[in-house]
Amino acid sequence: MIYLDNAATTKPNEKALKAAEKYLTEEFYNPSGLYKSGYSLSLQLKEARKNIVSLIADESKFSCVFTSCGTEADNQAIFCGGRRGNIVTTMGEHSALFEAVNESKQRGIEVRFANLNSDGSVDCEHLLSLVDDKTSLVSVIHVNNETGAINNISDIAQKVKAKNKFTLFHSDGVQAFGKIAFRLTKDIDLYSVSAHKIGGIKGVGALIKRKDLVLKPLIYGGGQEENLRSGTENVFGIKCFEFAAKDKFSGLNQAFDRIFALKKLFCLLLDSTMFDIISPENGSPYIISVAAKGVRGETILHEVDDKGLIIGTGSACSSNSNKRYSRVMLACGLDKQIADGILRISFSDETTEDEVRTAAKILNETVENRRRLMA
């Protein structure tokens, strides 16, 4: 079996699992407990918080709120950061954020959507034109989860602050964290990350925030996470996230270069008479979206699955939607015929050249056969 749907989820890092195992079997205590073992775990959480944040930011200026997933982190940013005036975001956002801002609209907050360029990146000029003195929050996805296009969030945030210094800037960094090199700047207030996209386990995420930013909680209760996210912390999952993240960042640049070469090889091996490459060459090497010409992407997905190749058709979090065409792909300007053939192939650090070659062969043969049957 060849697994190339890593943008949906990744295989857990075995070293991280092993290192975190004791927090399930031995140090299973409640970190809010006043006894010695509980206090010790609270210190472990503090260490994890510092270590994860330090990978992309100055830990003296940024901290994080541990959440159950990237979706929750996005929701907290929207509902607790965009509480007045208007929210500005893009048509290329993950459904976690897109649906959250639509809910904000139902609650009386004006929402403004910036257009996309053809590769899935945001039209910066249009986005900035939407920001005014009543904009409470701007949210721009860092790496588009369907095309892999990279938005220069540092530059965008700086320009947003120049228009309105009181506007909060958030970015969904789920597909960027642990995959591309960057550091958070002073103009970025909030940043969402997820554990299971980089070898952690499902059920853990974080909202990284400026320390001096006053933020309301999304979940109320016992006051955990410095009163920003109540609920007993998932110590095992958080420590696993910490260990997986440290492992990812230790070889981030080398992995980027290797995966970039695999992406280039894969695109060369695909038959151009049967596929259009949608993803930009300078986007994240971990995500490639292609369109099978004249064939439904979902049909191909199931046929290659039977042949031992697992890929996607877009965002896995939108697979429960009854909409046939990707909202993001249509916003990129693709017509419905092309959007109907979209397939998303996504790599991990474990992906090999042999797997890439075999995957391209299976896709070429499958689409060729399907088109022959339809003729």
Side-chain angles (χ1 to χ4, degrees):
M1 186 268 287
I2 299 174
Y3 180 71
L4 296 181
D5 195 24
N6 291 279
T9 194
T10 57
K11 180 182 177 182
N13 182 310
E14 292 185 9
K15 290 188 297 183
L17 285 174
K18 187 69 174 177
E21 185 180 8
K22 67 178 182 178
Y23 298 102
L24 274 180
T25 59
E26 299 171 24
E27 300 182 39
F28 54 85
Y29 312 102
N30 191 321
S32 296
L34 298 179
Y35 44 85
K36 181 178 179 181
S37 298
Y39 179 69
S40 176
L41 281 187
S42 71
L43 296 180
Q44 290 291 315
L45 289 177
K46 185 177 181 180
E47 180 183 36
R49 196 184 322 277
K50 178 181 178 181
N51 287 338
I52 289 173
V53 170
S54 69
L55 295 170
I56 60 168
D58 181 348
E59 65 268 25
S60 70
K61 297 178 180 179
F62 287 85
S63 185
C64 76
V65 182
F66 286 119
T67 64
S68 64
C69 55
T71 293
E72 185 188 328
D74 281 349
N75 273 245
Q76 184 165 10
I78 294 302
F79 294 126
C80 304
R83 299 166 62 89
R84 58 176 175 77
N86 64 72
I87 295 173
V88 176
T89 187
T90 85
M91 289 299 296
E93 299 301 305
H94 187 278
S95 58
L97 194 130
F98 191 80
E99 296 303 328
V101 296
N102 280 329
E103 174 59 26
S104 290
K105 188 188 302 184
Q106 298 301 314
R107 300 180 186 185
I109 303 294
E110 182 188 359
V111 179
R112 302 172 179 177
F113 292 101
N115 298 331
L116 299 184
N117 299 314
S118 60
D119 64 358
S121 62
V122 64
D123 180 334
C124 293
E125 185 176 342
H126 184 226
L127 179 127
L128 291 170
S129 74
L130 301 176
V131 178
D132 59 24
D133 60 354
K134 293 183 179 179
T135 303
S136 59
L137 178 76
V138 171
S139 187
V140 177
I141 196 167
H142 196 171
V143 171
N144 187 291
N145 60 294
E146 294 193 37
T147 71
I150 301 173
N151 287 307
N152 186 344
I153 58 171
S154 296
D155 181 65
I156 297 171
Q158 183 179 37
K159 290 176 179 176
V160 166
K161 297 285 187 177
K163 287 202 69 175
N164 184 344
K165 65 180 181 180
F166 299 110
T167 298
L168 296 182
F169 187 89
H170 166 259
S171 181
D172 179 335
V174 168
Q175 296 295 346
F177 184 77
K179 298 178 181 179
I180 65 173
F182 69 96
R183 300 286 292 178
L184 295 184
T185 61
K186 63 181 180 62
D187 296 313
I188 298 171
D189 302 288
L190 299 160
Y191 193 80
S192 301
V193 297
S194 176
H196 76 101
K197 306 293 188 178
I198 60 161
I201 64 167
K202 300 171 187 67
V204 182
L207 179 62
I208 298 174
K209 61 178 285 293
R210 280 195 297 105
K211 279 188 173 181
D212 59 356
L213 174 65
V214 177
L215 192 68
K216 290 281 188 178
L218 180 66
I219 297 175
Y220 291 82
Q224 289 86 351
E225 292 298 292
E226 299 179 347
N227 288 310
L228 289 175
R229 200 274 185 185
S230 291
T232 303
E233 296 93 340
N234 177 1
V235 180
F236 166 70
I238 290 169
K239 294 301 286 186
C240 189
F241 184 17
E242 175 194 359
F243 300 145
K246 289 171 70 175
D247 189 49
K248 281 284 288 183
F249 275 83
S250 68
L252 186 145
N253 291 325
Q254 299 93 318
F256 183 95
D257 292 340
R258 192 180 73 83
I259 299 301
F260 185 86
L262 290 182
K263 174 185 176 180
K264 186 174 181 180
L265 173 64
F266 181 81
C267 292
L268 287 172
L269 292 173
L270 279 185
D271 190 329
S272 61
T273 66
M274 291 184 284
F275 292 95
D276 286 324
I277 308 296
I278 307 300
S279 293
E281 185 178 349
N282 63 347
S284 168
Y286 289 87
I287 297 174
I288 309 171
S289 278
V290 302
K293 299 178 183 179
V295 183
R296 284 200 69 188
E298 186 175 346
T299 299
I300 300 304
L301 179 148
H302 292 304
E303 290 189 5
V304 300
D305 191 7
D306 291 338
K307 299 175 182 179
L309 172 61
I310 298 176
I311 57 174
T313 56
S315 173
C317 292
S318 298
S319 63
N320 293 322
S321 170
N322 59 5
K323 296 178 181 178
R324 178 165 178 171
Y325 308 105
S326 162
R327 158 181 55 82
V328 173
M329 291 300 170
L330 294 181
C332 289
L334 300 184
D335 61 38
K336 289 184 176 180
Q337 184 177 6
I338 295 176
D340 203 27
I342 291 294
L343 295 165
R344 183 181 71 176
I345 297 89
S346 47
F347 302 141
S348 78
D349 292 353
E350 296 183 357
T351 303
T352 66
E353 181 178 329
D354 284 344
E355 287 178 325
V356 166
R357 290 183 178 278
T358 303
K361 184 174 184 291
I362 290 173
L363 282 165
N364 286 336
E365 292 174 349
T366 303
V367 171
E368 182 180 27
N369 183 59
R370 174 51 51 184
R371 289 172 64 174
R372 187 184 303 115
L373 291 174
M374 294 170 61

mmCIF file of all heavy atoms in Angstrom, residues 19-40:
data_model
loop_
_atom_site.group_PDB
_atom_site.id
_atom_site.type_symbol
_atom_site.label_atom_id
_atom_site.label_comp_id
_atom_site.label_asym_id
_atom_site.label_seq_id
_atom_site.Cartn_x
_atom_site.Cartn_y
_atom_site.Cartn_z
ATOM 1 N N ALA A 19 8.414 7.735 23.303
ATOM 2 C CA ALA A 19 8.860 8.672 24.332
ATOM 3 C C ALA A 19 7.706 9.169 25.194
ATOM 4 O O ALA A 19 7.885 9.458 26.380
ATOM 5 C CB ALA A 19 9.569 9.853 23.681
ATOM 6 N N ALA A 20 6.506 9.259 24.592
ATOM 7 C CA ALA A 20 5.344 9.785 25.319
ATOM 8 C C ALA A 20 4.539 8.689 26.020
ATOM 9 O O ALA A 20 3.642 9.004 26.805
ATOM 10 C CB ALA A 20 4.435 10.543 24.348
ATOM 11 N N GLU A 21 4.865 7.446 25.771
ATOM 12 C CA GLU A 21 4.070 6.324 26.286
ATOM 13 C C GLU A 21 3.899 6.368 27.805
ATOM 14 O O GLU A 21 2.840 6.025 28.340
ATOM 15 C CB GLU A 21 4.723 5.002 25.873
ATOM 16 C CG GLU A 21 3.922 3.783 26.257
ATOM 17 C CD GLU A 21 4.595 2.492 25.821
ATOM 18 O OE1 GLU A 21 5.753 2.558 25.351
ATOM 19 O OE2 GLU A 21 3.973 1.426 25.940
ATOM 20 N N LYS A 22 4.908 6.810 28.516
ATOM 21 C CA LYS A 22 4.846 6.809 29.986
ATOM 22 C C LYS A 22 3.746 7.718 30.517
ATOM 23 O O LYS A 22 3.266 7.542 31.639
ATOM 24 C CB LYS A 22 6.185 7.207 30.574
ATOM 25 C CG LYS A 22 6.610 8.649 30.306
ATOM 26 C CD LYS A 22 7.944 8.960 30.983
ATOM 27 C CE LYS A 22 8.374 10.405 30.767
ATOM 28 N NZ LYS A 22 9.648 10.705 31.460
ATOM 29 N N TYR A 23 3.325 8.699 29.695
ATOM 30 C CA TYR A 23 2.253 9.599 30.138
ATOM 31 C C TYR A 23 0.875 8.953 30.032
ATOM 32 O O TYR A 23 -0.120 9.522 30.485
ATOM 33 C CB TYR A 23 2.304 10.902 29.340
ATOM 34 C CG TYR A 23 3.596 11.642 29.546
ATOM 35 C CD1 TYR A 23 4.604 11.608 28.577
ATOM 36 C CD2 TYR A 23 3.838 12.347 30.720
ATOM 37 C CE1 TYR A 23 5.810 12.264 28.778
ATOM 38 C CE2 TYR A 23 5.041 13.009 30.925
ATOM 39 C CZ TYR A 23 6.028 12.956 29.954
ATOM 40 O OH TYR A 23 7.227 13.598 30.171
ATOM 41 N N LEU A 24 0.832 7.766 29.439
ATOM 42 C CA LEU A 24 -0.393 6.963 29.433
ATOM 43 C C LEU A 24 -0.365 5.907 30.524
ATOM 44 O O LEU A 24 -1.379 5.676 31.204
ATOM 45 C CB LEU A 24 -0.562 6.259 28.073
ATOM 46 C CG LEU A 24 -1.237 6.995 26.926
ATOM 47 C CD1 LEU A 24 -1.283 6.080 25.708
ATOM 48 C CD2 LEU A 24 -2.634 7.452 27.303
ATOM 49 N N THR A 25 0.779 5.280 30.699
ATOM 50 C CA THR A 25 0.858 4.095 31.563
ATOM 51 C C THR A 25 1.391 4.361 32.963
ATOM 52 O O THR A 25 1.027 3.667 33.914
ATOM 53 C CB THR A 25 1.747 3.038 30.894
ATOM 54 O OG1 THR A 25 3.051 3.590 30.677
ATOM 55 C CG2 THR A 25 1.164 2.593 29.552
ATOM 56 N N GLU A 26 2.251 5.359 33.106
ATOM 57 C CA GLU A 26 2.870 5.617 34.402
ATOM 58 C C GLU A 26 2.468 6.989 34.970
ATOM 59 O O GLU A 26 1.896 7.075 36.050
ATOM 60 C CB GLU A 26 4.401 5.533 34.284
ATOM 61 C CG GLU A 26 4.913 4.167 33.828
ATOM 62 C CD GLU A 26 6.399 4.188 33.515
ATOM 63 O OE1 GLU A 26 7.100 5.079 34.059
ATOM 64 O OE2 GLU A 26 6.851 3.350 32.719
ATOM 65 N N GLU A 27 2.770 8.023 34.226
ATOM 66 C CA GLU A 27 2.467 9.372 34.696
ATOM 67 C C GLU A 27 1.117 9.830 34.135
ATOM 68 O O GLU A 27 1.028 10.750 33.332
ATOM 69 C CB GLU A 27 3.591 10.323 34.298
ATOM 70 C CG GLU A 27 4.944 9.920 34.887
ATOM 71 C CD GLU A 27 6.052 10.891 34.520
ATOM 72 O OE1 GLU A 27 5.801 12.107 34.505
ATOM 73 O OE2 GLU A 27 7.175 10.418 34.234
ATOM 74 N N PHE A 28 0.070 9.131 34.577
ATOM 75 C CA PHE A 28 -1.272 9.329 34.048
ATOM 76 C C PHE A 28 -2.083 10.339 34.863
ATOM 77 O O PHE A 28 -3.280 10.535 34.618
ATOM 78 C CB PHE A 28 -2.030 7.998 34.045
ATOM 79 C CG PHE A 28 -2.057 7.327 35.394
ATOM 80 C CD1 PHE A 28 -3.016 7.669 36.339
ATOM 81 C CD2 PHE A 28 -1.101 6.375 35.729
ATOM 82 C CE1 PHE A 28 -3.034 7.067 37.588
ATOM 83 C CE2 PHE A 28 -1.112 5.766 36.981
ATOM 84 C CZ PHE A 28 -2.078 6.113 37.916
ATOM 85 N N TYR A 29 -1.472 11.010 35.793
ATOM 86 C CA TYR A 29 -2.174 11.853 36.758
ATOM 87 C C TYR A 29 -2.790 13.094 36.109
ATOM 88 O O TYR A 29 -2.469 13.454 34.979
ATOM 89 C CB TYR A 29 -1.206 12.266 37.873
ATOM 90 C CG TYR A 29 -0.430 11.108 38.431
ATOM 91 C CD1 TYR A 29 0.902 10.880 38.051
ATOM 92 C CD2 TYR A 29 -1.021 10.208 39.307
ATOM 93 C CE1 TYR A 29 1.616 9.809 38.536
ATOM 94 C CE2 TYR A 29 -0.316 9.123 39.803
ATOM 95 C CZ TYR A 29 1.007 8.922 39.405
ATOM 96 O OH TYR A 29 1.706 7.848 39.881
ATOM 97 N N ASN A 30 -3.676 13.736 36.861
ATOM 98 C CA ASN A 30 -4.285 14.982 36.404
ATOM 99 C C ASN A 30 -3.303 16.126 36.665
ATOM 100 O O ASN A 30 -2.907 16.353 37.813
ATOM 101 C CB ASN A 30 -5.594 15.230 37.165
ATOM 102 C CG ASN A 30 -6.408 16.363 36.560
ATOM 103 O OD1 ASN A 30 -5.864 17.373 36.130
ATOM 104 N ND2 ASN A 30 -7.719 16.194 36.538
ATOM 105 N N PRO A 31 -2.904 16.863 35.621
ATOM 106 C CA PRO A 31 -1.916 17.931 35.829
ATOM 107 C C PRO A 31 -2.433 19.088 36.672
ATOM 108 O O PRO A 31 -1.644 19.958 37.071
ATOM 109 C CB PRO A 31 -1.576 18.381 34.401
ATOM 110 C CG PRO A 31 -2.731 17.945 33.579
ATOM 111 C CD PRO A 31 -3.249 16.696 34.207
ATOM 112 N N SER A 32 -3.734 19.115 36.953
ATOM 113 C CA SER A 32 -4.283 20.144 37.835
ATOM 114 C C SER A 32 -4.288 19.698 39.289
ATOM 115 O O SER A 32 -4.652 20.475 40.185
ATOM 116 C CB SER A 32 -5.714 20.507 37.411
ATOM 117 O OG SER A 32 -5.737 21.092 36.130
ATOM 118 N N GLY A 33 -3.888 18.451 39.545
ATOM 119 C CA GLY A 33 -3.860 17.932 40.905
ATOM 120 C C GLY A 33 -2.841 18.668 41.762
ATOM 121 O O GLY A 33 -1.762 19.034 41.290
ATOM 122 N N LEU A 34 -3.177 18.846 43.037
ATOM 123 C CA LEU A 34 -2.286 19.569 43.950
ATOM 124 C C LEU A 34 -1.194 18.680 44.524
ATOM 125 O O LEU A 34 -0.252 19.177 45.152
ATOM 126 C CB LEU A 34 -3.105 20.189 45.093
ATOM 127 C CG LEU A 34 -4.153 21.229 44.665
ATOM 128 C CD1 LEU A 34 -4.895 21.740 45.883
ATOM 129 C CD2 LEU A 34 -3.498 22.379 43.914
ATOM 130 N N TYR A 35 -1.314 17.387 44.321
ATOM 131 C CA TYR A 35 -0.297 16.469 44.808
ATOM 132 C C TYR A 35 0.953 16.558 43.937
ATOM 133 O O TYR A 35 0.930 17.125 42.834
ATOM 134 C CB TYR A 35 -0.834 15.032 44.848
ATOM 135 C CG TYR A 35 -1.615 14.625 43.613
ATOM 136 C CD1 TYR A 35 -0.967 14.128 42.482
ATOM 137 C CD2 TYR A 35 -3.006 14.751 43.574
ATOM 138 C CE1 TYR A 35 -1.665 13.764 41.350
ATOM 139 C CE2 TYR A 35 -3.713 14.389 42.441
ATOM 140 C CZ TYR A 35 -3.049 13.895 41.338
ATOM 141 O OH TYR A 35 -3.752 13.544 40.209
ATOM 142 N N LYS A 36 2.032 16.000 44.423
ATOM 143 C CA LYS A 36 3.340 16.140 43.790
ATOM 144 C C LYS A 36 3.351 15.660 42.337
ATOM 145 O O LYS A 36 3.908 16.326 41.454
ATOM 146 C CB LYS A 36 4.387 15.369 44.608
ATOM 147 C CG LYS A 36 5.803 15.461 44.070
ATOM 148 C CD LYS A 36 6.776 14.701 44.965
ATOM 149 C CE LYS A 36 8.190 14.760 44.421
ATOM 150 N NZ LYS A 36 9.147 13.998 45.291
ATOM 151 N N SER A 37 2.726 14.494 42.085
ATOM 152 C CA SER A 37 2.741 13.932 40.716
ATOM 153 C C SER A 37 1.952 14.801 39.745
ATOM 154 O O SER A 37 2.318 14.924 38.563
ATOM 155 C CB SER A 37 2.180 12.509 40.735
ATOM 156 O OG SER A 37 2.975 11.662 41.541
ATOM 157 N N GLY A 38 0.858 15.389 40.215
ATOM 158 C CA GLY A 38 0.084 16.283 39.362
ATOM 159 C C GLY A 38 0.864 17.538 39.025
ATOM 160 O O GLY A 38 0.896 17.984 37.870
ATOM 161 N N TYR A 39 1.511 18.117 40.033
ATOM 162 C CA TYR A 39 2.308 19.324 39.806
ATOM 163 C C TYR A 39 3.454 19.043 38.838
ATOM 164 O O TYR A 39 3.779 19.873 37.980
ATOM 165 C CB TYR A 39 2.859 19.844 41.127
ATOM 166 C CG TYR A 39 3.721 21.070 40.968
ATOM 167 C CD1 TYR A 39 3.179 22.292 40.587
ATOM 168 C CD2 TYR A 39 5.107 20.986 41.177
ATOM 169 C CE1 TYR A 39 3.984 23.412 40.430
ATOM 170 C CE2 TYR A 39 5.916 22.102 41.024
ATOM 171 C CZ TYR A 39 5.348 23.305 40.645
ATOM 172 O OH TYR A 39 6.141 24.410 40.475
ATOM 173 N N SER A 40 4.045 17.861 38.964
ATOM 174 C CA SER A 40 5.135 17.487 38.067
ATOM 175 C C SER A 40 4.668 17.473 36.614
ATOM 176 O O SER A 40 5.384 17.916 35.707
ATOM 177 C CB SER A 40 5.687 16.109 38.452
ATOM 178 O OG SER A 40 6.677 15.687 37.537
#
